[in-house]
Amino acid sequence: MKRNTKMMNRLELTTRLVSKLKNEEAVIGGIGNSNFDLWNAGRRPQNFYMLGSMGLTAPIALGVALAQPKRRVFALEGDGSILMQLGSLATIAAVNPRNLTIIVWDNGLYQITGSQPTATAAAADVVEIARGAGIAQSAWASDEEDFERLVERALHGDGKAPAAQTPREPVSIKDAFMRGMGTKPA
Ligand SMILES: Cc1ncc(C[n+]2csc(CCOP(=O)(O)OP(=O)(O)O)c2C)c(N)n1
């Protein structure tokens, strides 16, 4: 299913995430904009500002999550960076740490180096890739409220994959029903 999300502001979402962290959760900021937005969302001793290497945010976060299983850990990564290290998704799925959440800011760009398009601007779907790697709870955030709902789930859920939920995609739900009713061409 093609994603159906609204364009959102990365700094605003980072700020919404950080404002929900009340238990010294760790946040690993990826290279570039993910990092700068984390910095600007307010300094916390539990923030790790990973500078330099694309794709290392999720592996570092995995290490923190395994070392401190009682602490919730968030990785903030750009789409270009996660695309460079897709194998880490399969490793994370295999290890299956219940306390780790990876947030990918998918702008379809290598923005910080000149806004060259990434593969997600063409055909790749990061959420489908993550699901295929075995991370069953992967989901698109369709808007800011949906993002907060997913953060709450990460903070208060038990990390187990939920039973299938209706995707929050009003237009595709309506279109599918209309096709089922024969009032819209297949
Ligand atoms: C292994 C590696 N290759 C290339 C670079 C140069 N580089 C730094 S940031 C960046 C683009 C990052 O794109 P993305 O992760 O999508 O984040 P955005 O800039 O869109 O926020 C590139 C190519 C690097 N730092 N490390």
Side-chain angles (χ1 to χ4, degrees):
M1 188 191 318
K2 196 61 192 158
R3 53 195 186 245
N4 179 16
T5 62
K6 104 180 232 219
M7 179 88 76
M8 289 178 270
N9 181 282
R10 188 179 43 223
L11 173 59
E12 187 197 331
L13 293 184
T14 308
T15 304
R16 285 186 187 227
L17 165 71
V18 169
S19 71
K20 287 185 177 291
L21 305 181
K22 311 282 187 219
N23 294 300
E24 302 192 349
E25 295 86 349
V27 185
I28 318 299
I31 185 170
N33 292 309
S34 308
N35 225 297
F36 303 152
D37 288 345
L38 181 61
W39 182 263
N40 286 309
R43 261 68 94 202
R44 304 167 62 248
Q46 297 80 24
N47 290 353
F48 181 74
Y49 303 99
M50 200 283 297
L51 297 168
S53 298
M54 293 171 74
L56 279 194
T57 314
I60 290 172
L62 172 62
V64 176
L66 291 177
Q68 300 203 342
K70 293 208 168 69
R71 192 188 297 274
R72 307 258 172 181
V73 182
F74 290 82
L76 309 181
E77 188 69 298
D79 54 304
S81 296
I82 201 83
L83 284 168
M84 196 168 256
Q85 190 65 280
L86 290 178
S88 67
L89 297 176
T91 303
I92 287 165
V95 177
N96 195 19
R98 295 275 157 86
N99 55 332
L100 172 61
T101 302
I102 305 165
I103 297 175
V104 179
W105 308 123
D106 184 6
N107 55 9
L109 300 170
Y110 299 101
Q111 187 179 22
I112 208 155
T113 49
S115 292
Q116 303 86 353
T118 66
T120 67
D125 183 317
V126 173
V127 168
E128 292 298 332
I129 291 171
R131 283 203 192 113
I135 304 176
Q137 308 88 316
S138 307
W140 283 99
S142 52
D143 56 21
E144 289 81 358
E145 286 66 41
D146 198 28
F147 175 80
E148 291 206 355
R149 185 183 63 81
L150 291 166
V151 169
E152 290 291 337
R153 192 174 87 187
L155 285 171
H156 304 297
D158 61 7
K160 292 194 202 112
Q165 288 184 350
T166 315
R168 297 176 122 243
E169 292 169 355
V171 176
S172 55
I173 289 171
K174 180 206 69 174
D175 287 348
F177 186 64
M178 287 178 74
R179 278 192 290 274
M181 295 293 102
T183 54
K184 192 180 174 87

